[in-house]
Amino acid sequence: TAPTTTTEGTATVKTSDADFKHAVEAALAQYPDVKVTVTNGIVYLEGQLASDTDYEKVVMLTESVDGIG
């Protein structure tokens, strides 16, 4: 997986696709039917949700993960 590099203060942190996937899956734990795929640092979500409100929550939770958004 291709690492993504971010700078926090004076430290550089590399995040792999697997790290992003794990973080997004943890953030979306209440939505187990949403499939998360990460390729070259790009997050793809797949699945059906019960409402537009759930959709907006999934997007918000995904974007709240460090390094995404």
Side-chain angles (χ1 to χ4, degrees):
T1 57
T4 299
T5 303
T6 57
T7 302
E8 295 179 11
T10 58
T12 299
V13 179
K14 292 187 178 182
T15 306
S16 71
D17 287 351
D19 291 338
F20 274 134
K21 181 178 181 185
H22 178 72
V24 172
E25 286 174 338
L28 299 181
Q30 69 190 68
Y31 297 100
D33 293 334
V34 175
K35 179 183 173 191
V36 178
T37 307
V38 182
T39 304
N40 295 325
I42 299 172
V43 177
Y44 298 92
L45 304 174
E46 182 180 345
Q48 293 193 349
L49 299 166
S51 68
D52 288 344
T53 301
D54 285 332
Y55 169 82
E56 290 179 17
K57 286 172 90 174
V58 165
V59 171
M60 181 187 68
L61 289 168
T62 300
E63 289 177 342
S64 73
V65 173
D66 284 341
I68 298 176

